[in-house]
Amino acid sequence: MNPMRLTIVLSATAAAVCLVQPAAAATCPASQVRPAQDDDVVSWFAEGRQHMNRGEYKQASAYFERAVKRAPCVPTLIIALAKSLRAQKRLIEALQQYDSIRGMKLLPADKKSQIPKMIEDGWRKAISDAGIEAAEVEQVIPSFTLKLTEAGAANISVTVDGRALSGAERKKPIRVNPGQSVEVIASAPGFAEDRKTFTLETGQKRVVKLALSASDWLDPRNQQEAERALYNAGMEHVSQRRWEQATDSFDKAAAIANGAQHLANAARAAVLAERFARARHLVLRAQAVQASPPWLVQRLSAQHAQVKRRLGKFSVEVDRAGELSVDGQAMQLVDMGEGMELVPAAAAKKLDSGTYTLWLEAGTHRFELRTPKGIQSAEHSLAAEESRTVGLDESSGGAPSWVAPVSYVTLAAGAVGTFVGVFFGLEAQQIRDDAEADGALCPQRQCSSDGLKEIDRAKEKAGLSTIGFAIGVPLLAVGASLFFWERSSRPKDRPPTRAWLAPTFGRSSGGVSVGGTF
């Protein structure tokens, strides 16, 4: 058996993935480089050789590994173990064994002794053989390099088959065993992870591209129980596309932990619900949270810019103190981080006279200011990214927004009732006149039993006519009052209202058509 040098035994793990590092230099007395003194080592080595000859490489590795653990200073055993690993395509583990040999030093038994020439020559040959075989393995080990698009993310984690890579390791080629399934995952807080799964064959090189992108929905860590329940409820609403409910759930979760990530989720849900003004308020609240990580600050800034493009800004002039509501929602004055502005409130707060900023979605909005002297109101339109200064019409009389449609419905119902009264009244008169004029039914105005039946039928029609007039005429009066009140309080810049009633008649029927624009 050829003499060999000392080695450090490295554990041979199945399908390992790592960056091969040079082994630390190890030393061993020359007296320990021969295995012949240990019968077990000799037996295990012989058993391993037999399995190698039969192509049973896994069993061979097991015997060689036992031998190496017992006699770690015998390079012959280490080279045999490396060859058995190489035969199983476990090239990384094989290279680790070769490198352990190349990193060893041979020392004499004591300071006065010299290393026998035969042992020294054998040692040098073992180092040479290990170097040659290691070079062959290095040529065919598959490897990949990472190309990571970070997108401004911080605290990035990259794992290969569950093992975290350091920043330096990410920049180097990463070796894997041929035929091995490899999973690479890149992740960062607030970003959607990217993962790639692949297999490399012997000698293959590859560039693996990973890209981090901002996650649609954030999942804050270390949540309290109630906070987590609200977050889960929000995500359930998201899965069902119930954006309003999702907004409320995330907002409530933020109230428990004052969490900027919850508020960012709520803002996104509000955008999907097309509640852009609320989304802006949520983003501003999130931006006010202290110590947010840089990636979240950047995300919130982008959200704010996106939302503002969907909003317009009113400067509302209020000439007297009162409680303001917009589209039926009470308003209060709050500092949202960009100056004092009007925001929705559970209950209206009294405002002094002055000019107030209000961000709203594009469209037409109704303003009402309740003062001790009455209600001031106005309707104004706003386009996205538009700024307007508007006031309230003090002489408007304060007709609410529901007055116009209610007036039209009331007028229509009154017209129908009146028409019913007219129609059945005329029909009752016609039935009575026909019966009295018929000599067979009412000769000399003395009606027979059949004639009396016709007179009773006329009375039924007359009763329906009375009911129609009793309902229709008051409704016409109420509808007309509402109609003229709404017209008198309408802002000058709003198009005029048009409404009409038109009777229709047929050979055996009649009716009324109602229409209008408002």
Side-chain angles (χ1 to χ4, degrees):
M1 183 173 295
N2 293 330
M4 295 294 175
R5 65 176 175 80
L6 176 68
T7 183
I8 296 177
V9 177
L10 301 177
S11 61
T13 56
V17 178
C18 68
L19 292 170
V20 175
Q21 302 291 342
T27 58
C28 190
S31 60
Q32 296 184 20
V33 300
R34 294 178 178 271
Q37 299 173 352
D38 192 319
D39 292 338
D40 287 339
V41 171
V42 174
S43 175
W44 292 333
F45 180 74
E47 289 286 346
R49 292 292 300 272
Q50 290 178 15
H51 284 296
M52 283 290 290
N53 293 335
R54 292 195 295 264
E56 299 167 350
Y57 306 121
K58 186 175 181 179
Q59 294 89 328
S61 294
Y63 280 103
F64 291 146
E65 187 174 359
R66 291 168 68 183
V68 168
K69 286 182 179 179
R70 180 70 67 83
C73 295
V74 182
T76 301
L77 301 179
I78 299 172
I79 291 176
L81 174 58
K83 288 182 176 180
S84 67
L85 294 170
R86 183 176 177 182
Q88 299 174 64
K89 294 188 176 181
R90 294 168 58 184
L91 303 184
I92 290 177
E93 295 91 328
L95 188 60
Q96 288 174 332
Q97 300 300 325
Y98 288 129
D99 283 347
S100 69
I101 297 174
R102 294 189 294 177
M104 297 177 119
K105 294 181 180 180
L106 181 64
L107 296 178
D110 54 59
K111 294 182 179 180
K112 297 181 179 180
S113 304
Q114 292 199 0
I115 301 173
K117 186 176 184 305
M118 181 180 66
I119 293 178
E120 187 173 2
D121 290 343
W123 184 270
R124 294 183 184 279
K125 185 177 186 306
I127 292 178
S128 176
D129 291 344
I132 293 172
E133 294 187 27
E136 294 174 355
V137 172
E138 287 178 335
Q139 290 295 320
V140 296
I141 288 184
S143 66
F144 64 92
T145 54
L146 291 174
K147 185 175 181 181
L148 179 61
T149 302
E150 299 181 356
N155 300 322
I156 298 173
S157 170
V158 179
T159 62
V160 178
D161 287 346
R163 188 180 73 84
L165 301 182
S166 67
E169 287 176 318
R170 297 176 204 165
K171 300 176 182 179
K172 299 178 181 179
I174 301 170
R175 291 170 171 172
V176 297
N177 284 324
Q180 173 192 338
S181 178
V182 181
E183 183 180 54
V184 184
I185 303 175
S187 61
F191 287 76
E193 70 176 25
D194 191 11
R195 65 176 63 206
K196 296 289 189 299
T197 302
F198 54 91
T199 300
L200 299 180
E201 299 304 325
T202 303
Q204 186 178 357
K205 312 294 181 184
R206 175 176 174 175
V207 176
V208 176
K209 297 180 180 180
L210 299 170
L212 292 172
S213 57
S215 177
D216 289 340
W217 305 101
L218 306 179
D219 186 359
R221 300 176 181 177
N222 303 321
Q223 298 185 54
Q224 303 176 35
E225 183 176 353
E227 177 190 1
R228 169 59 69 176
L230 287 167
Y231 169 81
N232 290 338
M235 293 306 298
E236 176 64 22
H237 291 312
V238 167
S239 68
Q240 301 296 323
R241 305 178 69 84
R242 297 192 294 258
W243 308 123
E244 291 277 5
Q245 295 91 327
T247 303
D248 292 339
S249 294
F250 292 135
D251 196 0
K252 291 176 182 177
I256 294 176
N258 194 27
Q261 295 187 47
H262 288 308
L263 291 170
N265 285 338
R268 173 168 173 76
V271 168
L272 293 171
E274 298 187 351
R275 296 285 303 278
F276 303 109
R278 184 178 183 186
R280 175 178 171 274
H281 297 154
L282 291 164
V283 170
L284 291 175
R285 283 170 53 197
Q287 289 179 322
V289 176
Q290 300 296 320
S292 293
W295 64 266
L296 183 55
V297 172
Q298 183 178 6
R299 177 189 177 117
L300 292 170
S301 178
Q303 272 188 312
H304 191 199
Q306 174 194 11
V307 168
K308 286 186 70 173
R309 288 194 293 269
R310 307 297 294 271
L311 296 173
K313 184 173 73 170
F314 279 120
S315 294
V316 185
E317 294 180 342
V318 176
D319 61 0
R320 63 181 58 187
E323 297 176 349
L324 179 67
S325 64
V326 179
D327 297 330
Q329 174 67 60
M331 290 286 154
Q332 64 179 343
L333 196 61
V334 175
D335 185 356
M336 295 300 298
E338 295 184 336
M340 302 296 289
E341 60 183 82
L342 296 171
V343 300
K349 305 293 183 181
K350 186 176 180 180
L351 300 176
D352 295 327
S353 60
T355 301
Y356 299 98
T357 298
L358 175 62
W359 292 84
L360 287 175
E361 291 87 355
T364 300
H365 302 277
R366 183 170 184 83
F367 298 77
E368 292 185 357
L369 180 69
R370 295 182 178 273
T371 70
K373 294 185 178 181
I375 300 176
Q376 298 180 1
S377 65
E379 286 190 0
H380 298 288
S381 298
L382 185 69
E385 300 186 273
E386 179 186 11
S387 296
R388 288 191 61 188
T389 299
V390 298
L392 300 178
D393 186 0
E394 184 178 356
S395 62
S396 66
S401 58
W402 55 266
V403 171
V406 169
S407 70
Y408 305 139
V409 172
T410 307
L411 283 171
V416 171
T418 303
F419 176 79
V420 168
V422 172
F423 180 80
F424 284 109
L426 292 175
E427 188 175 9
Q429 185 63 46
Q430 184 66 42
I431 293 172
R432 184 181 184 88
D433 290 345
D434 289 346
E436 291 178 346
D438 191 333
L441 295 175
C442 295
Q444 298 180 357
R445 292 189 176 273
Q446 297 296 321
C447 297
S448 64
S449 59
D450 290 338
L452 291 175
K453 289 181 180 179
E454 286 298 303
I455 296 299
D456 289 339
R457 192 160 70 92
K459 290 180 179 179
E460 290 177 0
K461 300 291 184 181
L464 292 176
S465 173
T466 301
I467 293 173
F469 279 119
I471 295 175
V473 172
L475 287 177
L476 281 174
V478 172
S481 299
L482 293 174
F483 177 78
F484 289 112
W485 179 30
E486 192 276 336
R487 283 179 62 86
S488 66
S489 64
R490 183 181 294 272
K492 296 179 181 180
D493 63 347
R494 181 171 171 178
T497 297
R498 296 172 54 213
W500 61 84
L501 300 173
T504 59
F505 298 96
R507 293 176 62 87
S508 59
S509 63
V512 62
S513 63
V514 182
T517 59
F518 51 91

